[in-house]
Amino acid sequence: MTELRAAIPADWRAALAPRVPASLWASLGAFLDDEYARGVVYPPREQLFTALTLTSFAAVRVLWLGQDPYHEEGQAYGLAFSVPNEISAPPSLRNIFKEYADDLGLSLPTTHRLEPWARQGVLLLNTVLSVRAGQAGSHQGRGWEQISDAVIDALVNRPEPVVFVLLGRPAQRKKQRIDLSRHVVIEAAHPSPLSAYRGFFGSKIFSRVNSALAGLSHAAIDWRLP
């Protein structure tokens, strides 16, 4: 077993095992060994799989899929869109919070951490799980996309239905993998400043997720943050 694969929680490792060949783990692991040795990569290697650690395979009710991690110092720690509280909220997160306030009628959060959502079964996952410092998209096409495909496939084939939230075109390309007769897909523009005004603002993403969960006989997510 490669070091990279061993870092994934056991439940997720078992779910992904039939879907990710050992050769892919090996090639991706070798690429990451080289990248971390050569320069700064985010998130820190021990935090690559924070999303899978916080939300177990059996607990997933919602998959919120982004693109790749934040690429500035101190921002990314393996939970899509979330940053530590001591770090200023990046524009995408600020836009998420704006829609959160508008949709739910809540005050803007003071926290920048989204663990309360993750612990309720919201898997906050990026399509690509690592990035070179200051170089958005720099780890695309190296194997992460197949890993995120495998996560989706494992959830699609699980007995319990899932609400898939696909933000932006890279995430929305995953829609073809989802059995729409059993699961629900909610699409919106990515919350980045480049696209938020083209369909993220006004999407009512939070209330739509809870409506979809109700239709699947799941409990609602309590989206409230400190």
Side-chain angles (χ1 to χ4, degrees):
M1 180 180 291
T2 67
E3 180 185 355
L4 182 62
R5 182 167 48 178
I8 295 178
D11 59 335
W12 280 106
R13 193 160 62 243
L16 299 181
R19 298 174 172 85
V20 182
S23 58
L24 177 59
W25 287 118
S27 62
L28 179 57
F31 168 72
L32 292 172
D33 286 343
D34 186 61
E35 287 288 285
Y36 279 98
R38 286 174 177 267
V40 178
V41 173
Y42 300 125
R45 186 154 187 162
E46 66 274 13
Q47 296 178 342
L48 283 169
F49 300 112
T50 299
L52 302 183
T53 300
L54 287 173
T55 310
S56 71
F57 177 63
V60 176
R61 292 189 283 149
V62 180
L63 171 57
W64 189 311
L65 191 64
Q67 295 181 3
D68 61 351
Y70 297 125
H71 55 266
E72 301 299 334
E73 183 178 1
Q75 293 177 327
Y77 65 100
L79 194 64
F81 300 107
S82 185
V83 298
N85 284 332
E86 62 271 19
I87 300 296
S88 297
S92 290
L93 184 58
R94 291 200 301 270
N95 288 340
I96 287 171
F97 286 161
K98 182 180 186 300
E99 183 60 24
Y100 158 101
D102 290 347
D103 182 13
L104 302 175
L106 297 172
S107 299
L108 291 172
T110 56
T111 184
H112 299 155
R113 302 185 72 106
L114 305 180
E115 278 91 340
W117 300 351
R119 293 193 177 100
Q120 294 180 72
V122 180
L123 180 61
L124 294 163
L125 189 73
N126 281 312
T127 306
V128 174
L129 300 190
S130 60
V131 66
R132 288 181 200 146
Q135 298 182 47
S138 51
H139 284 185
Q140 293 176 2
R142 295 292 185 163
W144 282 126
E145 291 88 348
Q146 291 96 307
I147 304 296
S148 53
D149 282 351
V151 169
I152 291 170
D153 292 347
L155 292 170
V156 165
N157 285 284
R158 210 184 58 169
E160 301 82 9
V162 174
V163 178
F164 292 88
V165 179
L166 307 180
L167 302 181
R169 290 182 182 176
Q172 288 163 11
R173 284 195 284 269
K174 308 288 191 180
K175 183 177 180 179
Q176 62 186 352
R177 312 189 74 86
I178 300 167
D179 178 358
L180 299 180
S181 70
R182 296 184 55 243
H183 306 279
V184 176
V185 170
I186 296 174
E187 299 176 83
H190 194 274
S192 77
L194 297 176
S195 56
Y197 286 94
R198 298 201 297 269
F200 182 75
F201 291 141
S203 64
K204 298 191 178 299
I205 202 83
F206 300 95
S207 56
R208 287 169 66 196
V209 166
N210 278 348
S211 293
L213 287 171
L216 297 174
S217 299
H218 284 326
I221 303 298
D222 182 357
W223 296 109
R224 291 174 297 176
L225 294 170

